[in-house]
Amino acid sequence: MAGGAIQGLGMGLFLFPHSIPSGGAGGITVLLNHWFNIGMGQALWIVNFTLLFVGIHYLGKRFAIWTVIAITMTSLSVVFFEQFSIPNRNLLYDLIFGSVFLGTGIGLLLRQGVSNGGIGVVALIISTRRKILPGRPLFLINIIIFMFTAVIVDWKLIFLALISQWISTVVVDLVCQVSFQQSYSLNWRKKP
């Protein structure tokens, strides 16, 4: 739940005010809207539902339940944080802070075998099967989707989205690598 809330903070408070896409599912949603004139909310639901169904097949029911909880928590926190406004916004600061929070939230979710929805499902399947960190497949898949979307729809915000993806996926891998065991263990002192 913390991962979903932190991800929502990055998106709702820092990235979405500048219309910076936060992932590949958003890119696919834009394409569905462009090609088939499907509403954005409905298209996003179709993308997430389809990828969630694929995830259930490869990763199991526990994955599906917690992914639905994570997606719900992210959505609620986006709605909550969109209400706040930062005076004198700076695009560069918002891009960096939003990407770090986004990556931290996604990393916490992926670390627990839970997806943030969308392309995170595919990245988790690849990282589980290949025994690699999830950041690299997440970044590569999102880049391909962003480039394809840019060619079809518009190039304007794709560069910011690519920078955001690079920062957030580096943070995802850092969060997945760091050992938090001693930081929350009651047995932090060694006995002589």
Side-chain angles (χ1 to χ4, degrees):
M1 292 180 74
I6 293 169
Q7 176 184 351
L9 167 68
M11 291 169 17
L13 190 59
F14 297 105
L15 297 177
F16 286 175
H18 297 286
S19 299
I20 300 172
S22 61
I28 295 172
T29 299
V30 170
L31 288 174
L32 289 175
N33 175 267
H34 181 76
W35 285 332
F36 304 110
N37 203 25
I38 300 172
M40 295 293 270
Q42 185 181 10
L44 185 60
W45 185 86
I46 291 168
V47 171
N48 277 323
F49 179 78
T50 304
L51 292 171
L52 184 63
F53 188 71
V54 170
I56 291 170
H57 177 71
Y58 286 100
L59 301 170
K61 292 177 187 171
R62 177 199 172 275
F63 158 82
I65 292 168
W66 282 106
T67 297
V68 168
I69 292 170
I71 291 169
T72 303
M73 189 64 186
T74 300
S75 298
L76 291 173
S77 63
V78 165
V79 169
F80 176 76
F81 287 113
E82 279 182 327
Q83 297 174 23
F84 298 100
S85 177
I86 298 174
N88 303 321
R89 292 194 93 86
N90 181 300
L91 176 62
L92 180 62
Y93 292 152
D94 283 358
L95 178 68
I96 293 170
F97 287 122
S99 300
V100 168
F101 282 119
L102 177 68
T104 302
I106 293 171
L108 289 172
L109 293 170
L110 294 177
R111 184 181 174 97
Q112 297 300 316
V114 175
S115 172
N116 61 320
I119 301 305
V121 174
V122 179
L124 191 58
I125 291 169
I126 292 170
S127 77
T128 302
R129 298 280 182 202
R130 295 211 170 181
K131 307 270 190 268
I132 60 174
L133 292 171
R136 181 172 288 155
L138 184 65
F139 182 67
L140 293 175
I141 295 167
N142 282 335
I143 281 184
I144 292 167
I145 293 169
F146 285 153
M147 297 305 264
F148 191 66
T149 304
V151 168
I152 302 294
V153 180
D154 192 5
W155 281 95
K156 288 181 183 174
L157 292 173
I158 298 305
F159 295 112
L160 293 173
L162 291 174
I163 293 168
S164 176
Q165 282 300 303
W166 180 76
I167 293 169
S168 64
T169 53
V170 166
V171 173
V172 165
D173 280 347
L174 287 173
V175 171
C176 287
Q177 285 177 341
V178 172
S179 173
F180 294 108
Q181 186 174 2
Q182 283 197 336
S183 64
Y184 59 79
S185 172
L186 295 176
N187 189 15
W188 60 274
R189 280 184 29 191
K190 290 187 177 187
K191 295 184 180 181

